[in-house]
Amino acid sequence: MIDLDELQKNAIKYKPSFKAWYKKNKKKLEKMDAEVQTLHEEVMSQIDCLSCAGCCKGLGPAVYDKDIERIAKTLRLKPSEVVDQYLKIDEDGDYVFQSIPCPFLMSDNYCSIYEARPKACREYPHTDRKRFYQIYNLTVKNTETCPVAFQVMKKLINT
């Protein structure tokens, strides 16, 4: 199992290094998608997300209409019932889960609606995304909850 408290401590310790690297390499980062993608694949092959589930335990993803429809179909509910039972509107006006950890996270860290999970969950930790430089600061934030994001960032600043 991954120690999420230890991960957060390490991420906070490295945060100034991540920020300093960005200032120094901002222009270069725009052309580094392939390198970041390679780092993502390398790290994903070494870390089992089910040993962590830090994202499901500590983050509230935005849930969009298509996500609600997919979840409703899987749960055999009406979309309005999914909204009423599981969602609330956050300060940004987005739907998010009413509770954290995620209400669909099971005790073995599996997701009970895995095939219907929200887009934000499908794409997390976003370290394989094109134009990675656009979400660099979000990735730095995600290092506190995701060992993949942390390791990708650590390897990136040490290349």
Side-chain angles (χ1 to χ4, degrees), residues 42-64:
E42 176 186 328
V43 172
M44 285 296 289
S45 73
Q46 298 167 355
I47 294 177
D48 176 14
C49 291
L50 293 173
S51 70
C52 176
C55 50
C56 305
K57 293 174 182 174
L59 299 176
V63 181
Y64 299 104

Side-chain angles (χ1 to χ4, degrees), residues 81-95:
E81 292 174 309
V82 171
V83 171
D84 292 343
Q85 290 180 35
Y86 298 104
L87 304 175
K88 66 180 182 181
I89 296 176
D90 71 3
E91 62 278 356
D92 296 325
D94 293 323
Y95 280 116

Side-chain angles (χ1 to χ4, degrees), residues 102-121:
C102 175
F104 302 108
L105 179 66
M106 299 186 298
S107 60
D108 59 1
N109 287 345
Y110 278 86
C111 175
S112 64
I113 61 162
Y114 187 78
E115 293 302 320
R117 69 196 185 281
K119 182 180 180 196
C121 301

Side-chain angles (χ1 to χ4, degrees), residues 48-155:
D48 176 14
C49 291
L50 293 173
S51 70
C52 176
C55 50
C56 305
K57 293 174 182 174
L59 299 176
V63 181
Y64 299 104
D65 290 344
K66 287 189 181 221
D67 300 323
I68 294 168
E69 291 170 18
R70 216 174 23 256
I71 293 167
K73 185 176 179 182
T74 296
L75 297 176
R76 297 190 174 129
L77 297 172
K78 293 177 183 172
S80 62
E81 292 174 309
V82 171
V83 171
D84 292 343
Q85 290 180 35
Y86 298 104
L87 304 175
K88 66 180 182 181
I89 296 176
D90 71 3
E91 62 278 356
D92 296 325
D94 293 323
Y95 280 116
V96 295
F97 291 123
Q98 291 175 7
S99 62
I100 295 176
C102 175
F104 302 108
L105 179 66
M106 299 186 298
S107 60
D108 59 1
N109 287 345
Y110 278 86
C111 175
S112 64
I113 61 162
Y114 187 78
E115 293 302 320
R117 69 196 185 281
K119 182 180 180 196
C121 301
R122 293 169 187 272
E123 295 178 353
Y124 194 82
H126 314 290
T127 48
D128 60 344
R129 182 178 144 168
K130 289 182 178 172
R131 294 189 291 280
F132 176 75
Y133 68 92
Q134 293 178 338
I135 60 156
Y136 187 89
N137 288 325
L138 174 63
T139 304
V140 170
K141 186 177 188 298
N142 288 343
T143 62
E144 295 182 28
T145 53
C146 179
V148 172
F150 180 72
Q151 289 299 325
V152 166
M153 290 299 297
K154 209 169 137 184
K155 288 174 181 284

